[in-house]
Amino acid sequence: MAEDKKAKVAKAVKAPKLADPKEASIDLGTQELLARAQKLGIDTVFDRAVSMKPCAIGMQGICCKNCSMGPCRLPLPKGGIEGEDDRKGLCGATANTIAARNFIRMIAGGASAHSDHGRCVAEVFLSAARKETEAYQIKDTEKLLAIAPHLGVATTVEVDGETKDRDIDEIALEVGEVAMAEWGKPSGELLYMKRAPEALYEKWKKQGVLPRNIDREIVEIMHRTHMGVDQDYKNLMKQGTRAALADGWGGSMLATDLQDVLFGTPYPLQSEANLGIMKEDHVNIIVHGHEPVLSEILVAVAQSQEMIDYAKEKGAKGIQLGGICCTANELLQRHGIPTAATFLQQELAIITGACDAMVVDIQCIMQNLANVAKCFHTKLITTHPIAKMEQDNVIHIEFDEHHALEDAKRIVKMSIDNFANRGTDVVIPPYKTTQIAGFGVESIQYHLGGTFRGTYYTLNDNIINGRIRGIAGVVGCNNARTKHNDGHVRVVKELIKNDVIVLTTGCNAIACAMEGLLTPEAAAVHCGPGLAEICEVVGIPPVLHLGSCVDNSRILLAATEVVKAGGLGNDICDLPVAGSAPEWMSEKAISIGHYFVASGVYTVFGVTLPTSGAPVFHDYISKEMENIYGGKWDLEVDPVKHAQLMIAHIDKKRKELGIDKARERVMMDMASRQALEA
Ligand code: BF8
């Protein structure tokens, strides 16, 4: 080989592959910061996604590494399977068994993440109820009284033949104790399962999938998927269903409820979104992760006059807090703290050069943050005992509810002190949007319910008369294997264009906020005439932000309220609703997807599903499962087709309910409306 040719080959081998910023994200700020990172020679998830390809066999769910005789890989034969599928691992495990094992291990991972988060909240709740900590108090007593009966805790007491209100501290303590027991009680079933519509509860009972306690269902998945245990994909999925339900109607729902009682139930408020919320002349503290127990206190401390004065003393104009991932959603919903970034933008927050501290707790935190932080002055602070990083530039300040205030003060002070170390090379992309967030089951009832009836009557009425075609829950992550935020935004726009109101959580909510879809004004621009009219009259956005990923439990309860309000069937699977995660990536998304499905919701995922290598198993969850639970899985990569599948399902349900005709004449007079109601 000629010398110059050799040199060319060597150069080609060495040159790192870089992502094309315009292909990587639809967001201008993300594109600019990615280009800046590349110029500075700092690699990000976008570049790594270009240089590292995923394993095709793993992606299809047909690689078994549950014992040391493997990993056994069962690729699909070229041209597909003709006749009997005789692929098997060393032990004889079939493609269906392997894919089902892998799938429910993902459910176990996701359910454990949500539920362990819930357990930590329950511990803090109990501490507060026992008055062991000054940092936390029972804030929302109305919510406490609302959840107590679902946990079998009485809110009144009989004294001398008279019914009296029970002492609130006593109720809180009992609620805390009963809630804690849900993780490991030796007998019975999860108490919250009865919050579902009766028909759904009975269906679960008949199928034998009512969760016994939260931990047990997750542990049993690990046992059943151990080498040589459960070898029937249907039986494996039954256990996957129990664990997913224990997540959605158990750990996640308890996390949401107990957080509401401790920190306040969200109500609509205005804020901003995107990296442009960071301020060059302020101390920027970015909180990232999922558990709001520390960040709640950080908010209070960062907003205290003492700390603002200290920041000014150090040359800053103030303190700007911003959030990433679901810690962002939690703080946004309750305090209006602006959202800085979605999952895929976390490294970019540091690459602005303006991040004085990034405080992380649990879940969705990229280890590469530590490498990026090394290139800047940013203090990267881990706070949770179960989530540390190996890099030596990471500071660990372990949070404990008993000295939460001291921990928070130390972190905020450290961030302020670090402001002086910030260089002059700061690039904060000037893009941010306004968002209205803070919706929940209660506020939807307030906005779309009848004050007179106190139910979801008005929402149902508008679904029946066709102004609102249906309801979609669109949730989930970003995924570096697909263009950042593109799937989220296009799916949601297609839905609202077709009069489908969207309930959103997680990174989908952040993506929608960044696109300006979380404002009432978005309705006139993006919605079909029916939904636009409702949004204008009520003054709500067409996309309602319901919070973090554990708050998907709010979507389950909102659907239950719709069933209760009447006129749309007697089970969640009767409703014109559909679920979606256009850019999912985490195990939590699989657990969420499956509790949606097992609760009767047709659920479409984008990107990929780890089931395609086992067609029989894939058919089981995407076809047969509908006959069992009324919901099923689907996969569609194209965002418009993805939304159209959901709309087709919504229309099918409208037809089954006999309300399909109403949509053809959106503007109805009173007589026809009364005829429909009758
Ligand atoms: O729990 S949506 S990337 S941040 S996993 Fe993570 Fe996915 Fe974002 Fe919240 Ni949910």
Side-chain angles (χ1 to χ4, degrees), residues 438-458:
F439 288 90
V441 179
E442 297 83 354
S443 54
I444 294 176
Q445 179 161 316
Y446 174 76
H447 286 281
L448 285 170
T451 30
F452 166 63
R453 292 172 195 246
T455 71
Y456 274 38
Y457 169 78
T458 313

Side-chain angles (χ1 to χ4, degrees), residues 400-418:
D400 183 311
E401 69 264 27
H402 299 100
H403 44 75
L405 266 174
E406 291 81 351
D407 295 338
K409 273 189 187 167
R410 197 173 147 207
I411 290 169
V412 174
K413 203 161 170 291
M414 185 182 280
S415 316
I416 296 171
D417 288 337
N418 199 30

Side-chain angles (χ1 to χ4, degrees), residues 263 266-273 277 296 299 303 320-323 327-340 433 435-438 545:
F263 309 131
Y267 277 92
L269 41 70
Q270 184 173 322
S271 186
E272 291 178 326
I277 62 101
E296 274 283 327
V299 172
Q303 290 176 343
Q320 178 65 52
L321 272 174
T327 294
N329 289 325
E330 300 281 2
L331 297 186
L332 166 73
Q333 295 292 91
R334 298 192 179 89
H335 303 284
I337 300 299
T339 315
T433 47
Q435 60 173 330
I436 308 293
H545 191 335

Side-chain angles (χ1 to χ4, degrees), residues 106 476-479 581-586 589-590 605-610:
M106 290 185 87
C477 326
N478 286 144
N479 186 319
E583 300 181 26
W584 79 280
M585 65 88 202
S586 82
I590 293 289
F605 270 38
V607 195
T608 180
L609 266 184

